[in-house]
Amino acid sequence: MPPMSPEFSTSVKLKYVKLGYQYLVNHILTLTLIPIITAISVEILRLGPDGLLSLWTSLHFDLVQILCSAFFIIFAATVYFMSKPRTIFLVDYACFKPPVTCRVPFSTFMEHSRLILPNNPKSVEFQMRILERSGLGEETCLPPAIHYIPPKPTMNAARGEAELVIFSAMDALFQKTELKPKDIDILIVNCSLFSPTPSLSAMVINKYKLRSNIKSFNLSGMGCSAGLISIDLARDLLQVHPNSNAVVVSTEIITPNYYQGNERAMLLPNCLFRMGGAAILLSNRRSERRRSKYRLVHVVRTHKGADDKAFRCVFEEQDKEGKVGISLSKDLMAIAGEALKSNITTIGPLVLPASEQLLFLLTLIGRKIFNPKWKPYIPDFKQAFEHFCIHAGGRAVIDELQKNLQLSSEHVEASRMTLHRWGNTSSSSLWYELSYIESKGRMKKGDRIWQIAFGSGFKCNSAVWKCNRTIKTPLHGPWDDCIDRYPVHIPEVVKL
């Protein structure tokens, strides 16, 4: 057997040093209390029953002191339990699975592009290059109106897509949870680019004949991170409305937003965005504790809209020919990185173990006092979470977060496979990713999940969940007929 190389030996020793450091710092309170409790136990054994009895009789308590102490304890306990936030449970969720007839293979997409833009071969070639490097697969779907040549993005077609996606997700949620429409107290629907009158939330109320006193909200224009904004809004409402159920519907309607012009910055969304939607049931009812899948721990929202570049990096506007589209700025990734840093700064102290926070603090002090050129310490978020759901906005987004957060390929597998199978489904992509992890049988009781989403404005939002129970592989869901094929190898470039 060849001798162990010095580099490997050193790296192994450093690994165990780091593990020892993490254990020491994270369990410092326990390690401190053990000798104190041991000393007290030894002293109690030394005194014996007679010594303890004489010690108790030597203490003089009158009735007033006893009553005052009891009152104070009861008052403190009452204040604590009344001020404690209600626990928010995620009972279950359902993702929309588009029909096979909506599938758009690369060949179909490119053929349509050539027919729609016959006089602009450069625009067609640009879309082909984007598609080759996008990370999307051959089974992503577009709504029926986009399959026409040229596309027919009418209001009726857009409403038809909304009804198909939202009602399918809601029906699946009702079937999974056995929830009755009359039991919904709060309804929140988020869809960034399609905002008809009456609203999408009113459409749901009309379809399922929900109660007249339901608290309904319709969020629009908030981009791909609107799903977590809806979760945050639902959490706040559930804090003030006891014994309530909240349903959140996250989707993006593609039909009215398919760009048919020549501006490259506006053609990019055509290559990435696809059909998708999800319906989520949240509750603060204690009776839902046992069957709920997750418990909401934190929601952290970061908004960079005060900066002009950040505000305009994802912008709906008209091109020179008057055609409306979504323009994506070249600065998008840099702005997303800054938003992520701000979000991490806020969420880090809430979730990171003491060992990581101490290292970060010491590095920060060292850079301020000794040497500003010291490399900043990037906290190891793998110590805080078992699973990561990164918004499947595109291959570049996932690559950047994997690099910045120093994640392994397995940590970003759910995001990459979701992008490959479903494309960028906007705010609902996080739920397809969570469903992927469950379908792989990886979600265990006590596991912590970090959902990260980016959206126009510019926003970076995070949600932290904790798994309530080990989740069995779902029998019905978006991945049920293809999970065995995943993960798949996704080449850097797919030649078309």
Side-chain angles (χ1 to χ4, degrees), residues 74 107 170 190 242-243 338 361 386 488:
I74 294 169
S107 57
M170 290 287 290
N190 68 264
N243 202 36
E338 289 299 317
L361 178 63
E386 283 73 35
V488 297

Side-chain angles (χ1 to χ4, degrees), residues 226-470:
L228 296 186
I229 294 173
S230 298
I231 295 294
D232 189 34
L233 175 59
R235 179 190 65 170
D236 292 344
L237 290 167
L238 288 170
Q239 290 300 327
V240 296
H241 297 288
N243 202 36
S244 297
N245 291 321
V247 170
V248 172
V249 180
S250 295
T251 187
E252 191 58 79
I253 304 306
I254 306 295
T255 297
N257 302 296
Y258 191 83
Y259 178 64
Q260 299 181 57
N262 300 304
E263 291 291 332
R264 293 189 174 188
M266 296 181 174
L267 285 169
L268 192 57
N270 287 0
C271 303
L272 299 176
F273 282 88
R274 296 294 186 266
M275 290 180 78
I280 304 100
L281 173 60
L282 302 174
S283 181
N284 59 14
R285 296 181 177 180
R286 291 183 180 179
S287 58
E288 299 288 6
R289 180 188 296 271
R290 294 181 68 87
R291 72 162 182 155
S292 61
K293 285 186 172 182
Y294 304 97
R295 175 173 60 85
L296 183 59
V297 183
H298 301 292
V299 178
V300 174
R301 293 166 56 181
T302 304
H303 206 306
K304 291 291 186 177
D307 178 74
D308 291 340
K309 281 188 175 181
F311 176 71
R312 293 190 64 89
C313 71
V314 181
F315 206 79
E316 186 177 19
E317 59 186 352
Q318 290 180 321
D319 64 10
K320 296 174 183 177
E321 298 175 359
K323 295 178 180 178
V324 178
I326 306 298
S327 176
L328 301 182
S329 167
K330 293 179 180 179
D331 301 323
L332 179 59
M333 293 311 303
I335 291 165
E338 289 299 317
L340 177 66
K341 286 179 185 176
S342 299
N343 195 268
I344 283 175
T345 303
T346 306
I347 202 171
L350 300 175
V351 299
L352 286 170
S355 58
E356 291 298 309
Q357 294 194 47
L358 183 60
L359 279 174
F360 180 79
L361 178 63
L362 292 175
T363 306
L364 185 65
I365 293 171
R367 293 183 72 203
K368 292 285 185 183
I369 298 175
F370 301 109
N371 188 355
K373 294 182 179 179
W374 276 9
K375 187 178 179 181
Y377 179 72
I378 300 173
D380 185 4
F381 280 92
K382 298 186 290 296
Q383 298 287 328
F385 304 106
E386 283 73 35
H387 307 287
F388 296 80
C389 294
I390 300 166
H391 167 53
R395 171 178 254 162
V397 175
I398 301 170
D399 288 346
E400 193 69 19
L401 264 72
Q402 180 180 6
K403 177 184 172 183
N404 289 341
L405 297 176
Q406 299 176 349
L407 303 178
S408 67
S409 297
E410 186 175 345
H411 287 124
V412 296
E413 181 184 311
S415 300
R416 291 197 190 280
M417 298 308 112
T418 296
L419 181 65
H420 181 270
R421 175 61 183 85
W422 307 104
N424 180 352
T425 61
S426 190
S427 57
S428 64
S429 66
L430 299 174
W431 304 105
Y432 288 91
E433 294 167 20
L434 193 60
S435 180
Y436 178 88
I437 297 169
E438 291 180 3
S439 298
K440 282 293 182 183
R442 297 173 184 171
M443 193 64 70
K444 309 299 181 187
K445 182 178 180 179
D447 283 0
R448 298 155 296 177
I449 307 98
W450 186 13
Q451 292 181 321
I452 314 168
F454 300 93
S456 58
F458 189 84
K459 300 179 285 292
C460 176
N461 298 326
S462 293
V464 177
W465 304 87
K466 190 167 185 178
C467 186
N468 271 357
R469 55 184 172 83
T470 298

